[in-house]
Amino acid sequence: MKKLYIIILTCFTIGGILAQSDVRFNNYWWKSSIINPAYMSKDYLAEFDMAYRNQWTMFPGAPKTLYVSGAYYIEDLHTKIGVRAIQDKIGYTSSTDVDLLYSYATLVGYYWRLQMGLGLSYQNQSFDVSKIDSQTPTDPALVNLLVNENRLNADVGFELTNDKWLFGLSSQNLASLFRKENSRFQNTNMIYGTYRHPVNQKIDFSYGIGGIQTKNILQGEFHFTSHFKNAFQIGAFYRTANEMGVLFGLDFSKNMKLYYSYDYNVGGISRRSIGSHEIMISYNLDKIYKCNCWY
C-alpha cells in the first residue's frame, strides 16, 4: 500500500510539472511582458500589472496563480528596468518566482525596432505536507521526494516590432537546461507573431500564432481579436491540444485597462472542471514631455 501511494504521489507531481512547467497566462496576447523580458512600450513612462488565474476550476488541487509586475522606462537610454513576481500553487506544491528585468531597444532601419531583454530569477518551491493524506508522513521515500528547492535562473528574449507587426522569441529558465535533476522550473521556449490590421478609425483586427516547447511537449496557439479603439477588445483563441477560449478587454481610461479570459479544455479533464478563468488589470503612467525651447 505504501509503494502504491508513493507511485501515485510521484505521478501527480510529475503531471503537475509537465502541465504547469511554465505559468501559462492567456493574457500575454495583450501584453507579452508576461512571457518575455524584452517587452517594451513606446507609449508610457511606467506600467503596473496584476493578474490572477484560476485554472481548471473545481478540479481538486488545480493551479491558482498570482502575477504582479512593474516597469519603468528610461527613454534617453532606450531601456526598461522592472520587477516581476509569480506565485503558483498546485495541489500541495507552492512555487515562487521573483525576477529582475532589463531590456534595451534599438532601431533597425526606419520602421522596425529590435528589443532585447534579460530576466534574472530567484525561485522557490515548497510543499505543504499537511495537505497530504498519508498513514506514514515520515516515510523516507516521501520525505526525500518533498524537498524544498531554492534556485537561481534566467530568462532571455527578443522582439522585433513596428506599428503593425510583432515577432517574439523567449526562453524561460535557461539554467534548468544544465541541471540533471527534475524541477518544477523547466526550460520553456516560445515563439510568436501578431499582425494588427487597421480597418477604419474605430476598429482594428489582430491575428496571432505561437509555438511553445517544454522538453518533448510541443503546443501551438492561434488567436483573433477585434479592437474597438478606446473602448473594448474581444477575441478568441485555440491551443493544441483540446483547449479553446475567449478574450475580453475593457478600457476604463487611457491609462487603466481590464482584461479577462476564459478557456475550456475539451479533453479528459473536462469531466471534472468547468474551465479556467483569468483576470488582469493594467495601469500605465504617461510620459513626461520636456520642453527644450529657449524662450
Side-chain angles (χ1 to χ4, degrees):
M1 182 66 182
K2 184 189 302 181
K3 291 183 179 179
L4 178 60
Y5 175 77
I6 296 299
I7 291 173
I8 294 173
L9 179 61
T10 303
C11 290
F12 184 83
T13 302
I14 294 174
I17 288 173
L18 293 177
Q20 222 26 34
S21 59
D22 65 307
V23 177
R24 191 70 51 78
F25 280 98
N26 298 326
N27 285 320
Y28 83 86
W29 287 116
W30 306 114
K31 297 190 75 170
S32 60
S33 56
I34 294 176
I35 61 167
N36 196 335
Y39 168 86
M40 293 182 69
S41 171
K42 62 182 179 62
D43 299 320
Y44 301 108
L45 174 67
E47 295 182 282
F48 305 94
D49 301 311
M50 179 178 291
Y52 178 75
R53 178 170 174 81
N54 188 351
Q55 188 166 328
W56 306 332
T57 304
M58 299 185 67
F59 192 90
K64 293 178 174 59
T65 309
L66 177 66
Y67 168 94
V68 293
S69 72
Y72 180 80
Y73 297 91
I74 307 173
E75 189 169 10
D76 292 342
L77 301 178
H78 313 295
T79 63
K80 176 200 76 177
I81 55 175
V83 62
R84 175 179 64 194
I86 300 173
Q87 173 69 44
D88 185 51
K89 293 185 178 181
I90 175 170
Y92 50 78
T93 304
S94 178
S95 302
T96 302
D97 189 321
V98 180
D99 302 82
L100 297 177
L101 306 174
Y102 171 84
S103 59
Y104 175 80
T106 183
L107 290 177
V108 179
Y110 187 77
Y111 298 103
W112 293 88
R113 185 169 68 163
L114 177 64
Q115 302 168 174
M116 301 163 283
L118 175 67
L120 300 178
S121 309
Y122 164 77
Q123 299 171 330
N124 169 268
Q125 177 178 271
S126 60
F127 303 91
D128 187 352
V129 295
S130 66
K131 294 183 178 180
I132 302 174
D133 184 12
S134 171
Q135 297 178 350
T136 56
T138 59
D139 189 304
L142 180 60
V143 173
N144 293 334
L145 181 65
L146 304 180
V147 177
N148 290 352
E149 178 182 340
N150 294 281
R151 294 287 172 84
L152 297 178
N153 226 316
D155 301 344
V156 65
F158 303 88
E159 287 192 339
L160 183 65
T161 181
N162 63 17
D163 290 340
K164 294 182 180 180
W165 290 94
L166 170 66
F167 300 99
L169 175 66
S170 69
S171 184
Q172 302 169 348
N173 302 321
L174 280 172
S176 298
L177 286 172
F178 307 98
R179 294 170 179 157
K180 295 181 180 179
E181 66 273 21
N182 287 325
S183 171
R184 152 67 177 81
F185 302 100
Q186 296 287 326
N187 171 248
T188 297
N189 300 294
M190 303 185 70
I191 186 170
Y192 53 92
T194 62
Y195 172 70
R196 186 154 176 165
H197 171 60
V199 177
N200 54 44
Q201 293 183 345
K202 294 184 178 181
I203 302 175
D204 291 351
F205 292 147
S206 66
Y207 318 89
I209 183 171
I212 306 162
Q213 176 266 325
T214 303
K215 298 187 75 171
N216 61 341
I217 301 174
L218 298 175
Q219 288 184 288
E221 292 193 24
F222 313 89
H223 92 95
F224 168 78
T225 304
S226 299
H227 302 262
F228 297 86
K229 298 178 182 179
N230 302 317
F232 66 94
Q233 306 87 42
I234 187 167
F237 69 92
Y238 173 74
R239 179 185 302 132
T240 61
N242 305 323
E243 202 160 31
M244 59 189 67
V246 295
L247 304 163
F248 179 75
L250 180 63
D251 298 344
F252 288 122
S253 67
K254 178 179 178 293
N255 301 95
M256 180 174 288
K257 303 178 187 296
L258 177 71
Y259 304 103
Y260 169 79
S261 76
Y262 171 82
D263 59 272
Y264 186 76
N265 190 305
V266 297
I269 201 170
S270 62
R271 304 190 199 99
R272 298 292 303 275
S273 171
I274 59 173
S276 302
H277 302 271
E278 182 181 321
I279 189 168
M280 182 171 80
I281 188 165
S282 178
Y283 181 74
N284 310 310
L285 296 179
D286 289 327
K287 290 181 178 180
I288 300 174
Y289 291 98
K290 299 177 182 179
C291 178
N292 295 319
C293 306
W294 60 269
Y295 54 85

